[in-house]
Amino acid sequence: MDSKISSWNAVLLVVNSILPTAFIILPPIVVTYLDQDSPWSILFAYAVGIGMTAMIGVIIKHNNGTPFLEWVSTVSSPVVSTLLGLILLQYYLDASSSVLREFINFLKDTVLFHTPVLLLIVISLLITAYMVRQGITTLSQVNSLVFLLYFIVLPVYWFGLKNYLDIHRLLPVFEHSYREFLLGSITPVTWFSEVAILLFLAPYLKDPKHAGRIGRRALLIITILLTINLSEMLMIFGSNYVKASSYPGFISISVVHIGNFLENLDIFFIAYWMLSIYFKLGIFLFVTLECFKQTFRVKEIEPYLVGILMVICAECLYTWKDPSKLTALNAQGRFPIMMLVNLLLPTLIYLYSLIASKMKTKRKETPS
């Protein structure tokens, strides 16, 4: 087993498992429902996310950081553990392939117009596999170093946009109905549920009992960055342009320049975002491998790694070949799936374990 991950490194793993794709996917979806009120949906999602994080933290504290599916097998049965493992494995394979396809679509649309899709997929998977083979501790440490670049990237970005911001585009406030707020908040709530990767990272944490605190800190960082970013997009372009654009975040970056000596900085920001995406892919591939290992009770994952990469490659090529299907999934289909996998099923297992434990205690106390 890898050496343990510090709490700070774990926080940034969770941040980078959500933020890179949320940056490009959330704005058009949320603004479609809420226009200038969109930043408030991120804050609402944070409030819901705190509740989800608390539940994940309670589960990890209850099982003391035991590998998740091994704990499920202990409190229920190996059959239940295997069935749940297969559901989770399908989810993480699908999540990994859809994240990869979003990345490939961006490259094809904005940078590498003529490069074959298969070549981009294979290169991305080879890079990701190499990162994961270094171990989760190394991955988390390098991920933290990459995150520190935010302290260079974001000040330059924000300072470069100062002449384009019009705060009046965020007015009037609270113009939309409760129904529209609910619909607009579903997608960010869905993304925030990915904090559930802590269930598979728990055995590698130095302090598993602090998993809830790790999740809360991660969601706070994500909320601050997404709220500021979405507000800036609206203040620059207005809601109509944001909801009609595929990549409003990168379009806002393209206008950044500082004086006459620093301009065309978008390639700098895009390169940093691409680096962040590789770490997101690495985190999801690691969790996928961990889920596979626990489901099928294997000790070494290397013999199966190529097969898993081939499944991700095939799904990326064919299942998500049509960008409209992926857009529809992000806007409408992810919520029930991710709530079921990331929150409902783990919570049901936890509640069952409590009931089973109480019944066992009561039988012991009952005289024969």
Side-chain angles (χ1 to χ4, degrees):
M1 179 177 288
D2 287 280
S3 57
K4 300 296 184 176
I5 306 171
S6 70
S7 294
W8 174 245
N9 286 340
V11 167
L12 298 184
L13 279 177
V14 176
V15 169
N16 242 8
S17 71
I18 298 173
L19 190 59
T21 47
F23 173 73
I24 63 170
I25 291 171
L26 288 183
I29 296 174
V30 174
V31 174
T32 298
Y33 292 105
L34 292 176
D35 296 302
Q36 77 281 359
D37 282 328
S38 297
W40 296 101
S41 70
I42 307 298
L43 299 177
F44 174 79
Y46 173 68
V48 177
I50 289 298
M52 294 188 290
T53 301
M55 191 69 248
I56 298 299
V58 166
I59 293 171
I60 294 173
K61 190 173 183 179
H62 178 71
N63 65 27
N64 199 30
T66 304
F68 180 60
L69 293 177
E70 291 182 18
W71 170 71
V72 172
S73 179
T74 302
V75 300
S76 56
S77 71
V79 174
V80 172
S81 175
T82 301
L83 290 175
L84 179 59
L86 291 173
I87 294 171
L88 291 171
L89 181 59
Q90 170 57 35
Y91 165 73
Y92 283 114
L93 285 169
D94 180 73
S96 299
S97 64
S98 61
V99 169
L100 179 57
R101 189 70 205 203
E102 288 158 0
F103 178 48
I104 299 303
N105 287 346
F106 172 79
L107 292 179
K108 290 292 291 181
D109 291 343
T110 61
V111 184
L112 303 174
F113 305 104
H114 305 296
T115 306
V117 170
L118 179 59
L119 180 62
L120 293 174
I121 292 173
V122 171
I123 291 174
S124 298
L125 286 176
L126 289 177
I127 293 172
T128 305
Y130 174 79
M131 293 167 62
V132 172
R133 281 181 61 89
Q134 306 312 302
I136 188 61
T137 305
T138 302
L139 182 66
S140 68
Q141 292 169 347
V142 179
N143 177 72
S144 297
L145 291 175
V146 169
F147 183 84
L148 292 177
L149 292 176
Y150 269 108
F151 293 103
I152 299 174
V153 172
L154 291 180
V156 173
Y157 174 52
W158 291 335
F159 183 78
L161 293 176
K162 63 182 176 61
N163 294 325
Y164 299 92
L165 303 179
D166 182 359
I167 197 169
H168 295 94
R169 292 191 173 121
L170 295 178
L171 301 175
V173 180
F174 301 127
E175 187 183 41
H176 296 78
S177 66
Y178 290 114
R179 176 181 175 276
E180 289 169 320
F181 263 101
L182 180 62
L183 291 173
S185 300
I186 283 176
T187 303
V189 166
T190 301
W191 246 256
F192 284 7
S193 74
E194 289 184 336
V195 73
I197 65 166
L198 284 168
L199 292 171
F200 286 96
L201 294 177
Y204 300 93
L205 300 178
K206 285 183 179 178
D207 297 303
K209 64 180 180 294
H210 294 154
R213 184 189 305 171
I214 289 169
R216 289 193 298 273
R217 290 175 176 175
L219 290 189
L220 178 61
I221 294 171
I222 294 166
T223 299
I224 292 171
L225 294 177
L226 283 179
T227 302
I228 293 174
N229 182 65
L230 184 53
S231 299
E232 286 181 333
M233 288 184 208
L234 290 169
M235 285 190 285
I236 295 168
F237 300 115
S239 59
N240 289 332
Y241 186 88
V242 173
K243 70 175 100 175
S245 174
S246 298
Y247 306 108
F250 292 109
I251 295 173
S252 68
I253 287 171
S254 66
V255 305
V256 173
H257 67 274
I258 300 175
N260 294 320
F261 59 95
L262 281 178
E263 45 190 337
N264 296 326
L265 293 174
D266 48 330
I267 190 64
F268 170 68
F269 295 110
I270 289 173
Y272 180 68
W273 176 81
M274 290 172 61
L275 183 60
S276 299
I277 277 286
Y278 276 120
F279 279 96
K280 170 157 187 164
L281 287 169
I283 295 164
F284 269 84
L285 180 58
F286 174 82
V287 174
T288 301
L289 295 174
E290 193 68 17
C291 184
F292 181 91
K293 185 167 67 174
Q294 293 180 28
T295 300
F296 296 103
R297 300 170 181 84
V298 296
K299 294 183 178 180
E300 297 295 331
I301 199 63
E302 281 75 11
Y304 310 97
L305 178 58
V306 174
I308 291 173
L309 293 177
M310 290 177 65
V311 171
I312 294 173
C313 178
E315 187 168 357
C316 183
L317 271 175
Y318 298 107
T319 303
W320 307 119
K321 184 177 180 180
D322 183 359
S324 63
K325 288 178 60 178
L326 191 54
T327 300
L329 175 70
N330 289 327
Q332 303 168 4
R334 286 196 185 275
F335 180 76
I337 297 170
M338 293 175 73
M339 288 296 106
L340 175 68
V341 170
N342 290 331
L343 185 65
L344 184 58
L345 290 178
T347 301
L348 289 175
I349 294 294
Y350 169 68
L351 294 176
Y352 175 81
S353 73
L354 292 181
I355 295 170
S357 177
K358 287 183 179 179
M359 291 179 64
K360 186 176 180 180
T361 302
K362 187 177 291 187
R363 283 197 299 267
K364 286 182 178 180
E365 292 175 349
T366 303
S368 55

